[in-house]
Amino acid sequence: MMHSLIIGGGKIGYYLAKVLIEKGYDVSVVEKEKESCQKFANDLNISVIKGDGTCVSTLEQAGVASADSVIAVTGRDEDNLVACQLAKRLYQVKKTIAKVNNPKNVDALKKLGVDIVVSSTDNITGQLEREIDSGKIKELLPLGAGKAAVFEIVLDETFTLQDVPLMEMDIPLTLNIISIIRNETELIIPRGHTTLQKGDKLMILTKTKDKNDILKALKIKS
């Protein structure tokens, strides 16, 4: 299960936490205000640490060492930068995302090592949601009020099941491979005897909560 650590428990942090939980993520939150911490804990039933996201001990208590992404959405650009830098430099977190309240700070945060910087002048919640999902699995089309979706994944160098027929793979019935695009031009409608190759782009239909089973079934490293 993917673990995301959110720094900042305001409206944006709350929305993101709720969305990520619905997508099957393990979510933890760091927030300074007691009332906001209680709201997260009571409404979402997740791990909430009352503290400063720029403090190493607080980040460690929140599980930063096991986080796949750190998303800093406090009202202070400086705090968002420091939280992301600590996560990246001390704990080698793969993806750091920071909200900037002053658009003039976008370039500065990028130069200082934040992977993704989102300006509060944009449609920030939608953009943050897309950025969080911009890893190996991309959501293309939500279905059934978001309970299911068509996802896209490209089989990268970590794929080891080349030339193994689909019927011989341990793919759960909840994952339905709709199509395969090979060499960007060839469209393949898969059957049981179909085999996959590195570089193939797969369209997969599944429930949103089962999204992370895609990597597991295809034995692709996250």
Side-chain angles (χ1 to χ4, degrees), residues 170-189:
D170 188 18
I171 299 177
L173 295 176
T174 53
L175 301 183
N176 296 284
I177 301 177
I178 301 171
S179 66
I180 303 164
I181 298 176
R182 184 164 295 163
N183 299 323
E184 298 186 359
T185 56
E186 182 183 1
L187 174 65
I188 300 169
I189 305 301

Side-chain angles (χ1 to χ4, degrees), residues 88-139:
K88 179 68 71 174
R89 295 178 182 179
L90 297 184
Y91 304 98
Q92 290 75 53
V93 173
K94 295 177 184 177
K95 180 183 288 188
T96 55
I97 302 173
K99 180 192 76 167
V100 291
N101 303 281
N102 184 347
K104 294 180 180 179
N105 291 334
V106 171
D107 289 340
L109 265 68
K110 288 181 178 178
K111 289 178 181 177
L112 290 170
V114 179
D115 294 321
I116 299 165
V117 181
V118 180
S119 172
S120 59
T121 59
D122 302 329
N123 177 10
I124 188 166
T125 52
Q127 189 173 350
L128 281 167
E129 187 176 343
R130 289 192 297 273
E131 294 293 1
I132 293 164
D133 263 349
S134 64
K136 294 192 174 182
I137 304 172
K138 182 183 298 183
E139 182 176 321

